[in-house]
Amino acid sequence: MISTTASDPSGVTDAIAALQSGDVYVAPGVQGQAALTEALAAAVPGDRTIAVVVLPEDADLGTVYDLELLDRLSERVPQTTVVLAVGDDLQAGSTVIDSNDVLRIANENEAAAGGDTQSALVETVNQIVEEAPSSPGETAGEAGDAILPLVIGGVVLAAAAGAAIALVLRRRRAPKAAATADPLPPAIRLRVNRLRELRVDYANLRGDAVAAETAASIDTLASHVEQLFVRLDAKAEADQVMLAEAEYADKLARLVAALEPDYLLDLLTRPDLWDSPQERVDEVREALAGLTTQIVDNIKQVNARKGLLFQVSLDSLIGRSELRDWERQFKDGAGE
C-alpha cells in the first residue's frame, strides 16, 4: 500500500520533505523502490542541484493541468533542476537550464527507453548534467540568449515577446538516443513554447477561477496544436502542412499576445485600470475556446484524410491596436 500524506494523495508533499535533505525520492509502493533509489542516487551529481522524484502512475489524478506536480515540486525544493516520473511518464523543469530543453530530454528518453523507467531517468540525469551551465552563476539565458527590452503598444511588454523569440534561438543539443526531427514548424513551436510558459503564470494566480480555467485551456490548446502537426507530418501532404503553418502561425501569435501578462493577466488582477475589462476578458476567452475547437476539427479532418478547413477568425483580437503592435514585433523578432 502506498503511504502518502492524507491531505496530499499525490505524494508530492512527502517528496518535498525528503528533498530538503536528499536528492532522490521514490515513493513507497513504486515497484523496485530500493533498486531504483540506489540507481538514481548513483546518477545524480550530489551537489544539491538535481532532484529526481518517482511517484506512482496515478499520482496526477485530480490535477488541473499537465506538469502541475512538477511545478509544485520545483517551487518548493532547494534543487534548481527537478526530474519527475509519474509512473513511466517523465517530466523535467529547471531554473538554470532552458526548461524546454530539459523537458525535451526527458520526453525523448522516455520514448527511447520503451517502458524502462530506471534507464530513462538515469539517461535523463546524465544528459541534464552535460547540459548544465559551466559556472554556478551562468544560466541558460545568460549562455547566449539576448532579450531586447522594448516597449510595445504601451500595453504588452516586449520583454515577454523577446523571451518567446529567444526560444527559437537557443541551442538545441541532440540527445544520445532517439533523436528525431520536431514535426512542428519553427514558427509553430515558438508559439507553443510560449503558451506553455504562460500557462504557468495563470496557474500560479491562486483563487481566480478564470485564471485556473485559462491555465487548463492553454494547456489543452498547446497539446492539440502539437497533435495536429504530428498527425499532419505522418498523414498529410506537404501543402497541407504549409497551409496549417500559415494559418496558425498568425492566429497563435495573436492569441499569445492577448494572453501575455500585460494583457489578460493584468485584466484579471487590475480590472480597474482598463476600459471595458469584462468585454476584453470575454474576447480572449472566446478566442481561446474557438481556436481550440477549430484545431480539434482539423485533427479529425487529418484522421479522415480530408482537406483542412479554417472557419474561426480572431476579429475581436485583431481590432485591438495594442495586440496588433505586439504581434508585429513578435514576427519581426522571429524573422518572419
Side-chain angles (χ1 to χ4, degrees), residues 24-27 32-43 54 118:
V24 175
Y25 175 80
V26 181
Q33 180 197 22
L36 186 54
T37 301
E38 182 178 354
L40 295 175
V54 183
Q118 177 173 311

Side-chain angles (χ1 to χ4, degrees), residues 5-335:
T5 303
S7 60
D8 181 17
S10 70
V12 168
T13 300
D14 294 335
I16 291 169
L19 294 176
Q20 304 308 309
S21 58
D23 291 326
V24 175
Y25 175 80
V26 181
V30 170
Q31 185 175 6
Q33 180 197 22
L36 186 54
T37 301
E38 182 178 354
L40 295 175
V44 298
D47 57 1
R48 308 290 288 148
T49 60
I50 299 178
V52 184
V53 176
V54 183
L55 300 177
E57 61 182 357
D58 60 351
D60 57 356
L61 292 179
T63 55
V64 176
Y65 59 91
D66 290 347
L67 306 183
E68 179 179 336
L69 299 184
L70 177 65
D71 288 345
R72 288 170 55 191
L73 284 165
S74 300
E75 291 169 0
R76 295 173 175 84
V77 301
Q79 295 84 352
T80 53
T81 300
V82 177
V83 179
L84 169 64
V86 181
D88 58 3
D89 176 24
L90 264 63
Q91 307 168 11
S94 180
T95 59
V96 296
I97 308 171
D98 185 340
S99 282
N100 294 287
D101 280 341
V102 295
L103 182 59
R104 172 182 56 79
I105 290 170
N107 289 341
E108 290 178 346
N109 280 307
E110 173 192 330
D116 185 346
T117 302
Q118 177 173 311
S119 297
L121 284 168
V122 170
E123 183 63 16
T124 295
V125 170
N126 289 339
Q127 292 185 22
I128 288 175
V129 169
E130 294 178 8
E131 193 82 3
S134 58
S135 62
E138 182 185 0
T139 66
E142 293 168 345
D145 295 338
I147 299 177
L148 302 178
L150 303 175
V151 177
I152 299 174
V155 177
V156 183
L157 294 179
I165 292 163
L167 293 175
V168 189
L169 306 178
R170 288 190 173 114
R171 177 172 61 91
R172 301 290 182 179
R173 181 180 62 81
K176 295 177 182 177
T180 57
D182 188 352
L184 273 67
I188 302 300
R189 174 58 69 189
L190 172 65
R191 275 80 168 165
V192 169
N193 287 345
R194 184 58 186 151
L195 283 171
R196 294 199 184 281
E197 291 181 341
L198 290 168
R199 185 265 304 161
V200 176
D201 292 336
Y202 287 92
N204 288 338
L205 189 59
R206 305 298 182 186
D208 189 304
V210 174
E213 177 189 319
T214 301
S217 297
I218 291 172
D219 191 60
T220 298
L221 173 63
S223 297
H224 285 338
V225 171
E226 289 179 328
Q227 277 298 308
L228 172 61
F229 282 91
V230 166
R231 291 165 190 254
L232 281 168
D233 185 62
K235 300 179 180 182
E237 299 294 334
D239 61 337
Q240 291 289 293
V241 179
M242 294 174 62
L243 182 64
E245 179 182 4
E247 173 75 8
Y248 288 118
D250 285 340
K251 287 186 176 176
L252 288 171
R254 203 164 291 135
L255 185 60
V256 165
L259 292 168
E260 287 290 343
D262 283 345
Y263 194 71
L264 179 59
L265 206 62
D266 197 51
L267 282 163
L268 296 178
T269 56
R270 294 303 307 270
D272 55 306
L273 302 181
W274 291 85
D275 293 328
S276 306
Q278 190 57 53
E279 178 183 330
R280 291 170 178 266
V281 170
D282 290 343
E283 286 173 354
V284 180
R285 296 176 69 190
E286 289 170 7
L288 179 55
L291 197 57
T292 302
T293 298
Q294 178 175 278
I295 289 175
V296 171
D297 288 343
N298 288 162
I299 292 173
K300 294 176 181 178
Q301 290 158 7
V302 173
N303 290 340
R305 298 299 203 277
K306 297 179 179 178
L308 299 181
L309 297 176
F310 306 114
Q311 299 176 333
V312 173
S313 75
L314 304 184
D315 290 342
S316 60
L317 300 185
I318 295 171
R320 300 293 185 185
S321 61
E322 62 268 26
L323 299 182
R324 292 200 306 272
D325 291 340
W326 192 96
E327 181 189 5
R328 183 165 52 252
Q329 292 290 340
F330 187 102
K331 291 181 177 180
D332 289 345

